[in-house]
Amino acid sequence: MNYGDFPFRTARAGEAQLPVLQGKTAIVTGAGTALGRGIARRFASEGANVIVAEKDAAAGEETVMAIEAAAGQAALFVGDPTSPDYHLGLVRFARHRYGWLDIAVNNAGINTLSTPLMDMSQAAWDQITTAHLSGIFHAVRAQIPTMIQARGGVIVNVAGLSAPSLAPAHSLWGTATQGLAALTASIASDHAKKGIRANAIISYHDAKLRAGKAPAGTDSCSPSPQEITEIAEVVLFLASA
């Protein structure tokens, strides 16, 4: 069975048209918390079969339960998002569970403060570039061949910060983000004729972070609930347009 053969419903009860992602299969990495969870739940509310890809099994299970409680479809796949083998297994799981892969939202990352460039350790450089650049490289390398076989797909890569307007202490975040933007542009250029669309979301989150004024004890790298809702709507648009 391929995508076009699937017996879709015409619409939800009382609705005049299909949910915009009805019957599509989407991987969302980092879907156990914050923005990833918001995107996963929003996709499920529009009819997608969502693969919740998460390193923290308990957090991922909470997302699956929330989706299922709202009558959505979701499955959990646990593992390390910086591992090439994890992403290969993730794509195989999506195909085994639902038959195909239409959408990949590569959102997994880490929340940690950076330091000025000259004070940065090799470990800090490796940690952030592995999580926010190499991990997504491994993800798209696994996702693209399956999308090509299906004659198309959508990739949305999510980065938390961008170099312009950030405090100097966040230079490493900016470097990783600009690298991700370049990687995404290359994917779009290389594979557009094969039906693959690729976009990057560069979200600044709270302005207090850029000014270095986040309140003590808060997770300054996480978006607010309102920002999660707004960004999830943008990702939904990119996945469905």
Side-chain angles (χ1 to χ4, degrees), residues 31-118:
T33 58
L35 180 57
R37 178 175 289 178
I39 294 169
R41 295 186 67 178
R42 187 69 184 95
F43 275 24
S45 74
E46 288 294 340
N49 306 311
V50 179
I51 307 296
V52 174
E54 175 58 51
K55 188 173 184 177
D56 183 332
E61 187 60 36
E62 287 182 11
T63 300
V64 171
M65 291 173 63
I67 289 172
E68 292 179 340
Q73 297 292 323
L76 175 63
F77 194 83
V78 178
D80 179 3
T82 67
S83 165
D85 289 340
Y86 172 74
H87 290 289
L88 291 170
L90 177 58
V91 170
R92 285 195 296 267
F93 177 75
R95 294 187 64 177
H96 175 75
R97 185 70 179 248
Y98 296 113
W100 53 75
L101 175 63
D102 302 284
I103 303 162
V105 179
N106 299 308
N107 167 74
I110 56 174
N111 286 348
T112 182
L113 293 177
S114 186
T115 56
L117 185 63
M118 296 310 297

Side-chain angles (χ1 to χ4, degrees), residues 111-114 160-162 165-170 173 203-215 218-223 227:
N111 286 348
T112 182
L113 293 177
S114 186
L161 304 169
S162 185
S165 302
L166 292 182
H170 296 284
W173 286 94
S203 60
Y204 287 94
H205 304 338
D206 198 309
K208 290 180 289 187
L209 174 62
R210 299 198 297 278
K213 297 177 182 179
T218 63
D219 182 1
S220 62
C221 294
S222 293
E227 289 167 332

